[in-house]
Amino acid sequence: MLIRDAVQSDLDAIFEILNHEILTGVNTFKLDPLSPAQQQAWWQLHTADAFPVLAAEDSAAALMGWASLSPWSLTAGGYHRTSEVSVWIGEPFRGQGVGKALFAALIDRAHRIGHRVLLSKVEASNQASLALHHRFGFRDVGIMHGVGDKFDRELDVAILELDLRRSN
């Protein structure tokens, strides 16, 4: 497995993974797949050095998953050293260590960029994602109860944080 910076030509595969989750899962509360214009806006936000997108590819150069750092707030400049973590794995590649490899690389990159805190929102029943976060030192901040609705389910969100000043 190769972890590398994502490039524009990865966007179709990146959004295939994300849009599949939008349509079938509760790990994002988006209800509609992202349009090409929304995808380009997202990519433009992530072309800055502070908010990288990493790609995991297999030996055949197939995109297995991706991870990104995003601004915690687009309206409050005082959050500039805080980023939100996203890690997405294609269904055929889940359970193969792709998430661990992406998480490790993303945290390393965040350290090198100079981020201070990483935050993550996780659908509260997603035990695999919570365990992955805890494995990398994220601590539970709290639960936002009933904040999401998808597929006729009321969903809770766990908020987790990693203080990079205290992690290796």
Side-chain angles (χ1 to χ4, degrees), residues 15 18-35 38-39 42 45-46 66 70 84 86 88 121 147-151 155:
F15 287 106
L18 181 58
N19 285 334
H20 175 76
E21 185 61 31
I22 289 169
L23 293 172
T24 63
V26 295
N27 293 316
T28 176
F29 291 179
K30 289 177 176 34
L31 300 175
D32 299 307
L34 276 68
S35 70
Q38 291 170 313
Q39 293 174 21
W42 179 88
L45 178 67
H46 291 87
W66 59 275
S70 299
E84 183 173 359
S86 295
W88 298 94
K121 297 180 290 202
V147 296
D149 289 286
K150 194 167 181 186
F151 304 131
L155 301 164

Side-chain angles (χ1 to χ4, degrees), residues 65-129:
W66 59 275
S68 67
L69 294 176
S70 299
W72 180 249
S73 172
L74 292 173
T75 59
Y79 286 120
H80 68 278
R81 300 199 12 118
T82 301
S83 287
E84 183 173 359
V85 172
S86 295
V87 177
W88 298 94
I89 311 305
E91 272 190 334
F93 303 106
R94 292 179 185 166
Q96 298 178 27
V98 178
K100 290 177 196 138
L102 282 166
F103 239 110
L106 196 65
I107 291 169
D108 178 66
R109 180 69 69 84
H111 270 289
R112 288 188 282 130
I113 290 168
H115 287 290
R116 186 170 43 228
V117 175
L118 299 180
L119 297 171
S120 190
K121 297 180 290 202
V122 177
E123 193 280 317
S125 70
N126 186 338
Q127 294 303 311
S129 184

Side-chain angles (χ1 to χ4, degrees), residues 3-6 14 52-56 63 65-68 102 105-106 109:
I3 306 294
R4 59 170 175 76
D5 287 336
I14 285 171
V53 179
L54 303 180
L63 191 85
W66 59 275
S68 67
L102 282 166
L106 196 65
R109 180 69 69 84

